[in-house]
Amino acid sequence: MTTDGATSGSVRAASAALLLASALLVSFALIGPIASGDLFWHLEMGRWILEHRALPVDDPFSFTATQPAELQEYGSQVLFALAERAVGLGGLRHVGALLGVLLLLAAYRTALRRVDLPFAVALTAIFALLCAYKWELRPQLLSALILLRLVHVLFVRDRDDPSPGPRAWIECLVLGCVWVQLHAEALFAPILAATGLVGAVCAAIFERGTPRPLRRIGRWTACTAFALGGTFLSPLGAMPHLYAIHDRSKAQTFVEEWQPIWIPPGDARAFPLVPEFQVAVWVLALVAVLFLARRVPEFLTGTKGRSARIGWERFGLLCLCVLLAFTARRYFWLLWFPLVELAALVRARRGGETAALGALFVGALALVPMWRTQYVASSRVALRDGRFAETVDTKLFPVYAVDVVRGAELDGNLFHPYSWGGYLGYELGPANKVFVDGRTVMFADVIPVRQRAERDLDFARDVFAKESIDVVVFLRVVDHGDGPFLWKPPDAEREWVRVWIDELAVVWLRRSRTDALDRLEAWYAGEGVEFDRERGASEYAVLEARPDWLDSRAIVPGELRDQVRELLPATASGGRRAALAWYRLGDLAWRNAMERSARHAYVRALAALRGRLDADAEREALADYASRGNDRAFAALRKLVEAARDPEERP
């Protein structure tokens, strides 16, 4: 549909500005430091396929999988891996931004077939908002491009007989064949065609005087068969079809993208959806539902007006889109199709410049909540903090912990947060196999086991023993809804050694792995750090040798960094000044639940005050600390330091 000749220059300029703003916002969401955990396991699988020139039968990346490897996106994975070879991991950010803009332009062209320029631009901005939950480099970007084309092929006709002809059948066959190599969502091809078939049957029943209804039904049947046939033209055979009908009840409980639309703000399952985005999606969903509900009596009674004429086939498509959008967050964006038809109806009834400006205003409003959505916010925070050049977002993924595990060759099965599985497998495999990553069907039974092991240490003890877990890479601070706390593996002090800690992550290694501890000790020595293999790593012990790691490896939480940066240089001066600095660092650590660093600081303060203390009391406290390191000995150390300091030095 072309632009109305009466459209003013100001409307065209506003339309161009809104389209540009939508494209820039999508690019910004995709071009920041990588924030998608799923991208890594897609790359990992793509690299494996390219290396072995085959599709794996058993999963090569995990130690918990009891099902065959999940291959439903193998074509996209190979394409991503080839792109990584060509431009590197950092260059994939630009690939993602390019794909995002192409998808946005495809939506714009799709809308332009139904409405004129201002409405199409407004719908493009709404499309950007509805896709905001998943603006990341994943197979869905390629899948959505094909879906937009398929909808055009199947439902572009507005004549009395909207059934697709042989040319459309062949295109559905080709689209289904190409699509199934990229993503199991290729099953939408026969589903959408079957929706058209149901619409044709309904038209034959409810529409009086429908021309050649059997021919119409037959052509849709042929189209469905061609689309379905295309989805079988794959090395996977029937696997995508079995994957599509797999029970996802567990995924809908634990995995964000499979959770439904109606979870309210404040519910833990709403994360990472910000309230503004949730409200916007609810409003758009309500508008789409009301629009379709208003059409039902018209269809059933045959009283559709010219402006409301959609056709039974297209009406079935719109109902299916709303239904899917309500089942899972990953399908939010399908609400866009009924909104396009609503815009076409509004445009038909209320044309002119006022309606065009109103549409552009609604489109601009859609970009407001998008500014706070997950991936836009991630890029925005990285830009604000001077981290925009990072390849991987160090606030989301354990980049520094991975450097230690890989550098010290701490091989063994991993336990980790769900969202880190793909990244850890990509960086540390195959020496370290992951517990679980983002493949929901293959790990449907494992996901709840991992979650319970995180929350129930008695249960975790059995799981760790059964699965022979040797390395834990976990969040430094965990919050299960009752306040943040420092997470530790079961029997942490007896069975495990804490070998690394930074602002985001902590790494634990089994004490029985003496070979790995030897390699770790050598790695630390090469970095100029003395590692205590009995007590493990503490922030201050590392920073004493490598103060540059305060910023370059984010050893302590950001809110403490300025205070530590101010006090740390004085610890090397010796004497009372060093003792005072260590004492204050110890208090800072103690107040912020950094007990190991607090103990380290107080021991260093004692060393700086040596000669001013009661020798027997110092010897007893240090011996008690060395043997147990318990709170009583810790308190004794602190008391000794306090007693040895001059009154004017005390806080």
Side-chain angles (χ1 to χ4, degrees):
M1 189 173 291
T2 58
T3 305
D4 190 332
T7 302
S8 69
S10 59
V11 170
R12 289 195 295 271
S15 299
L18 182 57
L19 186 62
L20 178 62
S22 302
L24 289 175
L25 205 50
V26 168
S27 300
F28 185 65
L30 284 155
I31 208 169
I34 295 173
S36 168
D38 285 349
L39 171 62
F40 296 105
W41 62 263
H42 286 303
L43 287 173
E44 187 179 28
M45 180 65 81
R47 292 194 304 187
W48 193 97
I49 295 171
L50 289 174
E51 180 182 348
H52 294 84
R53 304 287 178 175
L55 299 177
V57 176
D58 297 318
D59 181 52
F61 312 122
S62 68
F63 57 89
T64 57
T66 58
Q67 301 181 39
E70 191 174 306
L71 303 171
Q72 312 311 320
E73 299 98 349
Y74 83 92
S76 296
Q77 292 161 348
V78 169
L79 290 177
F80 291 166
L82 288 171
E84 183 196 19
R85 282 186 180 181
V87 300
L89 185 61
L92 287 179
R93 298 158 55 186
H94 303 279
V95 173
L98 176 61
L99 281 175
V101 172
L102 288 176
L103 178 56
L104 199 69
L105 292 178
Y108 167 69
R109 287 180 57 83
T110 300
L112 204 56
R113 296 187 182 105
R114 302 293 294 169
V115 294
D116 58 11
L117 177 66
F119 282 83
V121 170
L123 287 165
T124 304
I126 293 172
F127 180 88
L129 171 67
L130 288 171
C131 291
Y133 176 63
K134 282 298 176 187
W135 280 125
E136 53 181 329
L137 184 55
R138 294 182 66 189
Q140 277 86 347
L141 289 184
L142 300 173
S143 185
L145 279 169
I146 297 178
L147 181 59
L148 287 172
R149 177 61 190 174
L150 182 70
V151 169
H152 172 68
V153 170
L154 292 175
F155 301 100
V156 70
R157 288 159 294 279
D158 286 322
R159 346 184 254 275
D160 289 336
D161 181 4
S163 56
R167 181 176 176 179
W169 306 348
I170 299 301
E171 190 163 356
C172 282
L173 176 70
V174 173
L175 286 173
C177 177
V178 172
W179 196 355
V180 79
Q181 321 303 323
L182 302 175
H183 200 291
E185 282 184 357
L187 271 295
F188 276 135
I191 289 172
L192 292 180
T195 300
L197 173 58
V198 172
V201 172
C202 290
I205 296 173
F206 293 103
E207 281 190 4
R208 297 173 185 174
T210 300
R212 293 185 289 184
L214 293 180
R215 176 179 179 271
R216 185 167 168 178
I217 292 171
R219 295 179 73 169
W220 276 106
T221 302
C223 190
T224 303
F226 273 76
L228 182 63
T231 64
F232 280 100
L233 299 177
S234 164
L236 301 180
M239 285 178 63
H241 306 75
L242 298 175
Y243 172 83
I245 63 175
H246 192 279
D247 176 33
R248 285 184 170 80
S249 57
K250 291 180 180 176
Q252 289 171 341
T253 302
F254 299 105
V255 183
E256 294 166 7
E257 68 175 316
W258 285 106
Q259 290 170 354
I261 195 173
W262 54 79
I263 295 174
D267 189 309
R269 296 172 299 163
F271 178 83
L273 302 184
V274 294
E276 299 96 317
F277 176 72
Q278 284 183 281
V279 170
V281 171
W282 288 344
V283 168
L284 292 173
L286 179 62
V287 169
V289 169
L290 292 177
F291 167 67
L292 292 180
R294 178 66 180 84
R295 307 275 78 76
V296 170
E298 297 177 350
F299 275 91
L300 296 180
T301 61
T303 58
K304 296 180 291 180
R306 289 174 58 88
S307 63
R309 188 169 181 81
I310 295 174
W312 275 99
E313 289 88 344
R314 190 186 295 271
F315 183 70
L317 164 72
L318 304 182
C319 292
L320 176 66
C321 288
V322 170
L323 177 64
L324 289 170
F326 272 84
T327 61
R329 297 179 190 178
R330 64 183 294 149
Y331 300 134
F332 277 167
W333 75 277
L334 294 177
L335 288 170
W336 186 73
F337 289 102
L339 295 174
V340 170
E341 298 303 328
L342 174 60
L345 176 61
V346 172
R347 175 67 186 87
R349 291 183 176 178
R350 299 180 182 277
E353 189 167 313
T354 301
L357 290 173
L360 292 173
F361 177 73
V362 171
L365 281 182
L367 297 185
V368 175
M370 186 177 168
W371 180 248
R372 291 239 305 133
T373 52
Q374 180 182 3
Y375 294 104
V376 176
S378 176
S379 292
R380 191 176 71 246
V381 171
L383 183 64
R384 182 198 67 195
D385 296 345
R387 299 181 294 102
F388 200 76
E390 291 179 348
T391 299
V392 178
D393 195 326
T394 54
K395 295 288 186 181
L396 297 177
F397 298 104
V399 175
Y400 310 123
V402 159
D403 288 343
V404 177
V405 175
R406 184 175 51 226
E409 300 178 32
L410 306 182
D411 56 327
N413 292 342
L414 291 167
F415 185 75
H416 51 82
Y418 174 81
S419 59
W420 288 358
Y423 176 71
L424 293 173
Y426 171 84
E427 292 286 2
L428 300 177
N432 300 93
K433 291 193 173 184
V434 299
F435 196 98
V436 63
D437 56 31
R439 292 169 289 177
T440 55
V441 170
M442 193 173 72
F443 291 115
D445 295 328
V446 182
I447 292 170
V449 171
R450 194 222 63 85
Q451 187 184 54
R452 182 180 171 189
E454 178 182 329
R455 290 160 171 77
D456 183 343
L457 292 186
D458 290 331
F459 179 74
R461 185 179 296 107
D462 296 335
V463 171
F464 281 24
K466 176 185 176 184
E467 303 293 355
S468 301
I469 293 172
D470 285 333
V471 183
V472 173
V473 181
F474 220 79
L475 289 161
R476 175 189 184 118
V477 177
V478 175
D479 189 347
H480 293 151
D482 50 358
F485 67 97
L486 301 176
W487 190 90
K488 297 179 181 180
D491 308 312
E493 303 302 330
R494 185 175 70 254
E495 299 289 337
W496 299 84
V497 182
R498 190 175 80 178
V499 300
W500 175 260
I501 188 167
D502 60 43
E503 178 182 26
L504 177 67
V506 59
V507 180
W508 298 83
L509 177 69
R510 277 202 185 273
R511 287 187 182 274
S512 59
R513 289 294 309 275
T514 55
D515 57 329
L517 281 170
D518 290 340
R519 293 193 295 272
L520 181 76
E521 199 168 15
W523 181 85
Y524 267 117
E527 299 290 341
V529 179
E530 182 180 351
F531 176 69
D532 185 342
R533 60 191 296 162
E534 289 300 319
R535 298 198 171 281
S538 70
E539 298 91 338
Y540 288 174
V542 173
L543 288 176
E544 187 175 8
R546 293 298 303 267
D548 57 304
W549 284 3
L550 177 67
D551 294 309
S552 66
R553 297 207 175 192
I555 296 292
V556 300
E559 61 270 19
L560 307 181
R561 215 164 289 160
D562 289 342
Q563 299 174 71
V564 173
R565 188 182 295 110
E566 180 183 347
L567 292 167
L568 198 59
T571 61
S573 60
R576 290 170 57 186
R577 184 163 178 259
L580 177 60
W582 278 121
Y583 181 77
R584 289 180 174 172
L585 282 169
D587 276 359
L588 182 65
W590 183 250
R591 290 195 303 270
N592 288 277
M594 296 160 52
E595 288 94 345
R596 295 173 191 238
S597 283
R599 290 168 182 169
H600 178 87
Y602 289 136
V603 169
R604 287 293 186 265
L606 280 173
L609 290 170
R610 193 156 290 158
R612 300 177 64 191
L613 301 174
D614 179 273
D616 291 336
E618 178 188 0
R619 200 161 37 245
E620 179 184 351
L622 286 174
D624 206 5
Y625 171 75
S627 64
R628 290 189 296 276
N630 59 23
D631 287 343
R632 185 176 68 81
F634 178 63
L637 284 174
R638 192 176 188 282
K639 185 176 180 181
L640 271 174
V641 176
E642 178 69 21
R645 296 177 60 239
D646 294 333
E648 64 271 15
E649 295 175 337
R650 297 172 188 169

